[in-house]
Amino acid sequence: MTAIPQPRKSPRQLRSQHTVDTILQATARVLATHGYAGTNTNLIAETAGVSVGSLYQYFPNKNALIAALHNRHDNEMLDVIDGVLNSNPAATLQERVAAIVQAMLHAHLLEPALHRVLEREFPLFDLPREHSLADQDIHRRMRHLLELHRDEIAQQDRDLATYVVLRIMESLVHAAALEPPAGFSTQKLERAVVDAVMGYLGAPAGAAPRKAARAASPAKKTQAARAR
């Protein structure tokens, strides 16, 4: 998938974007340190080095800032998937899944305290999936990835497979970053997430038991014949 070139921004747009980025970075620091109850726009503005009036030019309240942080996170995940899709064209599905999982876990581990606030305390500030352009783009990218590697997977309903793969990745990566089990390295956790995804994609549910049952059938017949 080729990246679409973006139009160049004017100096004014660049200054505005820089201000927004600074405010969001300050919001992340304040939330991670003080939690939602201890966070307010005055403290965020002070941390960002801007006036409260400047902050209100971009965000009407604290909840809008939190929603923007969720959106920033979704766009970071979108960049991760795009980077994997646009890198090595000869990569296998497992290699691409592993690269996505590794990058996602690394991104969450950079700001674990912030993600703990966002994921545990305030999931309702995230836009519903049907209204989030970033979430829709992530779904389309993952759907494209599965279509590219359709010969490597057994799941025929790739729309459903896209949904399941994204839920597996999100749930396990969030758990590994926010509540990591003791005694396991990050590399082991990454491999476990990849194994879960590839295990789901690799064979339809129930396929292995049916094969095992068929393989055991001749042996049972031989045992019965000997008993007679």
Side-chain angles (χ1 to χ4, degrees), residues 2-6:
T2 303
I4 300 174
Q6 299 297 316

Side-chain angles (χ1 to χ4, degrees), residues 42-140:
N42 286 327
L43 183 55
I44 292 171
E46 179 183 348
T47 304
V50 301
S51 68
V52 175
S54 295
L55 184 150
Y56 285 139
Q57 287 181 355
Y58 303 100
F59 303 100
N61 51 49
K62 177 171 68 173
N63 292 347
L65 283 160
I66 295 173
L69 282 177
H70 270 287
N71 190 60
R72 185 187 73 167
H73 170 67
D74 286 343
N75 280 298
E76 288 171 350
M77 296 304 99
L78 182 61
D79 289 342
V80 163
I81 298 174
D82 277 347
V84 171
L85 285 173
N86 294 325
S87 56
N88 179 10
T92 65
L93 176 61
Q94 180 160 341
E95 288 169 341
R96 283 176 161 163
V97 168
I100 291 172
V101 169
Q102 182 182 48
M104 287 178 67
L105 187 55
H106 177 71
H108 282 77
L109 289 173
L110 287 177
E111 298 177 302
L114 170 63
H115 286 294
R116 189 170 293 111
V117 173
L118 294 179
E119 298 299 332
R120 286 182 176 174
E121 298 185 37
F122 306 100
L124 295 179
F125 288 115
D126 201 4
L127 284 172
R129 195 167 301 277
E130 62 269 21
H131 299 306
S132 171
L133 294 179
D135 276 347
Q136 293 172 24
D137 283 340
I138 289 172
H139 185 91
R140 281 193 290 269

